[in-house]
């Protein structure tokens, strides 16, 4: 008989408790509230249970999480030393094995092997031209918004935040032609762990295998080619696995980040007012979101290499610990007032820390910065099209993913993707007429007029009022000179890729 056979029914107050009265994380309906309860009961490090009542520690404190990730002599990512795994308590089909099982990749390696593999990844990422990348993000954002801007309504999750990161990551990796709705659906399905997740994962891996073979034969200027040509001399399997790691990690994190920032802008009037009033920039809004709702709630997992102490708890060799950015970012010792702005403060743990700190965090920030800014410029009156309490989430121990974000806005015409994002209406074509006649609409601004050839004009008689010729050629002399942008404005536009 398994321990689950004795589990109380869901309505019982003891629901979610396992042997020893420990909480089962995977049965909690409100992990945020549970984390605070655990903090109150146990302090910054608390004992919990995973599926099949596998014991684990969850690190709730900000300082304790930092110490763990920055102490490779005490903690590592190699699950092969995990005591429950060595003792046979973790079955091969355990739901969390895809996250925890050791793999020959940088995020699980140590010492010289870690330096070799991570060095190749960091070296490839260092070749990215971020100005060109931001320009590509801007154009991709325009192309995606063009798909629904005329409708006046959209689901920003399924139509925007799940598409933009994949489009950008495919460009970075070197497989822009592989980006389509099928790849987006496969990535989302593989990360959800559904019955078809294995097939979806295989679909993505097949695409990465083809990319690796192409770039091995014909290198180009992309991340896959730089991984292959790096002095670390990665094998095809190592290249493919690290492309998978970069693609999935960046895609999931950035999709969640985009959704969280847009949701906050839509439901918090103070947030929107600060953006519109110039008190906060989009990058600052992104950082605030990284504090409040990190893309990953917890990360599986770190393992104790020796007996030690952490947060007042005795940690034995082989114990597993969950790195937990979500509760760490709201640790009352560093954030006694959660309503206070964290503007200018980047000490959150959304991207981890230490030797395994996320190497692609600047890519994620760029996608969120440019993507949110472009969408708000194109759809300035966008607003939530449902009650806030109607929004639904898919939650797991690892992350929370917004299911949909329905919005409405004034329909806008498509825009040339090479233009700076704007929400100006398309000017109507004016029929130029000379002479007296019925009142005509005011002409469009001079910058929007298309020069037209001026027909020969009949000479008016002295008794007629002499009309003033109206044509584009006559306007520039009367226009005020365009004020030159300041140095900071020109630098900002250059950095944003405009």
């Amino acid at each position: 008989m398994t321990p689950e056979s004795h589990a109380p029914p869901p309505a019982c107050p003891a629901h979610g408790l396992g042997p020893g009265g420990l909480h089962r994380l995977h049965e909690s309906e409100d992990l945020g509230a549970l984390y605070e309860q655990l903090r109150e009961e146990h302090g910054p490090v608390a004992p919990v249970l995973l599926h099949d009542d596998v014991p684990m520690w969850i690190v709730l404190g900000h300082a304790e999480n930092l110490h763990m990730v920055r102490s490779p002599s005490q903690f590592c990512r190699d699950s092969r030393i995990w005591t429950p795994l060595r003792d046979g308590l973790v079955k091969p089909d355990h739901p969390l094995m895809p996250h925890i099982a050791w793999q020959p990749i940088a995020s699980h390696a140590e010492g010289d092997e870690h330096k070799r593999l991570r060095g190749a990844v960091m070296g490839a990422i260092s070749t990215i031209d971020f100005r060109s990348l931001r320009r590509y993000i801007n154009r991709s954002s325009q192309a995606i918004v063009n798909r629904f801007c005329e409708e006046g309504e959209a689901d920003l999750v399924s139509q925007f935040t799940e598409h933009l990161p994949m489009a950008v990551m495919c460009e970075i990796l070197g497989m822009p032609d592989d980006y389509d709705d099928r790849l987006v659906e496969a990535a989302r399905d593989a990360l959800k762990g559904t019955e078809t997740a294995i097939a979806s994962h295989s679909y993505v891996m097949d695409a990465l295998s083809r990319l690796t073979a192409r770039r091995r034969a014909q290198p180009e200027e992309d991340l896959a080619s730089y991984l292959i040509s790096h002095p670390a001399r990665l094998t095809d399997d190592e290249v493919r696995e690290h492309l998978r790691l970069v693609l999935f990690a960046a895609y999931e994190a950035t999709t969640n980040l985009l959704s969280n920032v847009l949701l906050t802008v839509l439901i918090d009037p103070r947030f929107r007012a600060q953006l519109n009033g110039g008190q906060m920039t989009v990058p600052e809004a992104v950082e605030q979101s990284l504090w409040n709702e990190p893309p990953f709630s917890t990360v599986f997992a770190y393992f104790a290499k020796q007996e030690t102490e952490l947060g007042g708890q005795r940690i034995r060799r082989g114990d597993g610990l969950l790195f937990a950015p979500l509760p760490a970012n709201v640790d009352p010792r560093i954030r006694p007032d959660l309503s206070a702005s964290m503007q200018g403060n980047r000490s959150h743990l959304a991207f981890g820390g230490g030797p395994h700190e996320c190497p692609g965090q600047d890519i994620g920030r760029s996608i969120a910065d440019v993507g949110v800014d472009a969408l708000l410029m194109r759809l300035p009156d966008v607003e939530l099209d449902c009650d806030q309490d109607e929004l639904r989430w898919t939650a797991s121990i690892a992350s929370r993913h917004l299911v949909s974000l329905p919005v409405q806005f004034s329909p806008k015409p498509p825009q040339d993707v090479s233009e700076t994002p704007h929400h100006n209406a398309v000017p109507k074509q004016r029929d130029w007429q000379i002479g007296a006649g019925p009142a005509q609409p005011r002409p469009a601004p001079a910058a929007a007029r298309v020069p037209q050839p001026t027909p020969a004009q009949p000479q008016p008689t002295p008794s007629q009022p002499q009309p003033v010729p109206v044509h584009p050629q006559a306007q520039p002399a009367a226009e005020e000179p365009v004020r030159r942008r300041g140095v900071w404005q020109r630098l900002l536009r250059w950095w944003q890729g405009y």
Side-chain angles (χ1 to χ4, degrees):
M1 185 174 291
T2 63
E4 286 82 353
S5 302
H6 300 289
C12 177
H15 181 68
L17 298 181
L22 298 182
H23 288 272
R24 295 181 174 116
L25 287 186
H26 57 286
E27 292 185 356
S28 174
E29 297 180 356
D30 187 346
L31 280 171
L34 177 57
Y35 292 151
E36 294 312 306
Q37 180 182 344
L38 291 171
R39 198 193 309 269
E40 182 69 23
E41 293 176 359
H42 300 281
V45 179
V48 293
L49 297 173
L50 302 180
H51 305 73
D52 299 337
D53 288 335
V54 175
M56 180 71 75
W57 296 98
I58 183 164
V59 186
L60 306 167
H62 189 275
E64 289 74 19
N65 271 288
L66 272 181
H67 175 76
M68 179 175 66
V69 300
R70 291 177 175 176
S71 303
S73 63
Q74 295 178 301
F75 304 96
C76 68
R77 298 289 309 279
D78 188 343
S79 62
R80 292 175 295 184
I81 70 170
W82 189 23
T83 299
L85 182 65
R86 293 167 63 92
D87 291 347
L89 297 178
V90 184
K91 305 302 180 183
D93 61 348
H94 191 280
L96 299 180
M97 279 303 287
H99 301 280
I100 296 178
W102 183 86
Q103 301 171 57
I105 54 178
S107 60
H108 290 172
E110 287 190 272
D112 291 341
E113 183 66 2
H114 175 261
K115 292 179 181 179
R116 181 181 77 89
L117 297 174
R118 186 176 174 90
V121 174
M122 293 296 292
I125 291 176
S126 70
T127 64
I128 296 175
D129 178 351
F130 272 86
R131 181 172 180 257
S132 297
L133 175 63
R134 295 176 77 89
R135 183 186 299 114
Y136 186 84
I137 298 169
N138 170 53
R139 294 180 177 179
S140 297
S141 300
Q142 301 308 319
I144 294 172
V145 172
N146 280 346
R147 299 176 188 175
F148 58 79
C149 62
E150 296 178 289
E151 303 299 323
E153 60 182 14
D155 171 14
L156 292 185
V157 171
S158 64
Q159 294 180 261
F160 186 75
T161 68
E162 289 185 347
H163 282 266
L164 180 59
M166 183 59 74
V168 176
M169 291 311 301
C170 284
E171 172 69 16
I172 291 174
L173 266 57
M175 47 188 281
D177 294 339
D178 288 287
Y179 165 67
D180 56 19
D181 291 347
R182 176 70 182 93
L183 189 63
V184 172
E185 292 168 3
R188 290 299 315 142
D189 189 54
L191 291 166
K192 289 176 182 177
T194 64
E195 293 181 356
T196 57
I198 294 178
S200 295
H201 184 270
S202 297
Y203 181 89
V204 177
M205 291 305 295
D206 287 345
L208 295 177
S209 296
R210 294 193 300 270
L211 171 64
T212 302
R214 288 198 306 269
R215 292 298 177 260
R216 180 75 72 178
Q218 186 175 358
E220 294 189 10
E221 300 292 322
D222 51 49
L223 192 139
S225 299
Y226 286 117
L227 270 180
I228 291 170
S229 62
H230 192 272
R233 303 180 65 84
L234 271 61
T235 65
D236 282 359
D237 285 344
E238 289 174 332
V239 170
R240 183 175 60 252
E241 287 301 315
H242 284 87
L243 291 176
R244 177 186 65 83
L245 177 65
V246 170
L247 178 64
F248 277 119
Y251 176 66
E252 172 72 2
T254 310
T255 295
N256 289 344
L257 178 58
L258 272 171
S259 299
N260 295 338
V261 174
L262 286 171
L263 175 60
T264 305
V265 169
L266 292 172
I267 66 176
D268 190 337
R270 296 171 303 172
F271 212 73
R272 187 70 167 265
Q274 285 183 320
L275 281 176
N276 293 341
Q279 300 173 21
M280 178 184 287
T281 64
V282 172
E284 289 169 335
V286 169
E287 294 302 319
Q288 183 71 41
S289 180
L290 289 169
W291 272 104
N292 298 337
E293 188 77 47
F296 290 110
S297 307
T298 60
V299 175
F300 299 93
Y302 281 76
F303 306 93
K305 300 170 66 174
Q306 59 188 23
E307 187 164 324
T308 185
E309 182 273 338
L310 184 66
Q313 301 285 5
R314 179 187 176 188
I315 309 298
R316 293 179 172 83
R317 184 183 186 278
D319 281 0
L321 305 96
L322 296 178
F323 170 65
L326 179 60
N329 281 356
V330 295
D331 186 340
R333 293 175 297 177
I334 63 165
R335 290 186 71 185
D337 180 6
L338 294 181
S339 64
S341 172
M342 301 302 286
Q343 192 167 337
N345 188 334
R346 278 195 172 189
S347 60
H348 56 74
L349 300 182
F351 294 114
H356 296 290
E357 184 174 6
C358 175
Q361 56 185 279
D362 288 338
I363 298 174
R365 282 191 173 100
S366 296
I367 295 173
D369 293 350
V370 178
V372 171
D373 184 61
L375 185 136
L376 294 179
M377 285 296 294
R378 290 288 301 278
L379 310 174
D381 60 347
V382 63
E383 60 182 25
L384 194 63
D385 196 19
C386 70
D387 292 334
Q388 184 179 341
D389 55 10
E390 295 178 8
L391 295 172
R392 295 183 299 111
W393 303 75
T394 55
S396 67
I397 302 173
S399 66
R400 285 208 318 161
H401 185 83
L402 192 60
V403 174
S404 64
L405 188 58
V407 295
Q408 60 180 355
F409 47 86
S410 300
K412 299 291 190 298
Q415 179 178 317
D416 185 340
V417 299
S418 64
E419 293 182 3
T420 303
H422 63 75
H423 51 269
N424 296 337
V426 176
K428 295 181 180 179
Q429 183 68 38
R430 175 178 169 85
D431 295 327
W432 299 103
Q433 296 183 7
I434 307 301
Q440 300 291 333
R442 295 182 62 183
R449 299 177 192 160
V450 179
Q452 303 282 348
T454 305
Q457 304 297 321
Q459 294 295 326
T461 62
S463 61
Q464 294 176 314
Q466 193 137 23
V468 178
V470 182
H471 52 80
Q473 292 87 341
Q475 294 301 319
E479 290 181 353
E480 295 182 2
V482 178
R483 180 179 298 177
R484 180 177 175 79
R485 291 188 176 90
V487 174
W488 172 248
Q489 291 176 313
R490 296 200 303 274
L491 177 61
L492 183 60
R493 286 174 60 81
W494 174 84
W495 173 247
Q496 292 174 335
Y498 301 143

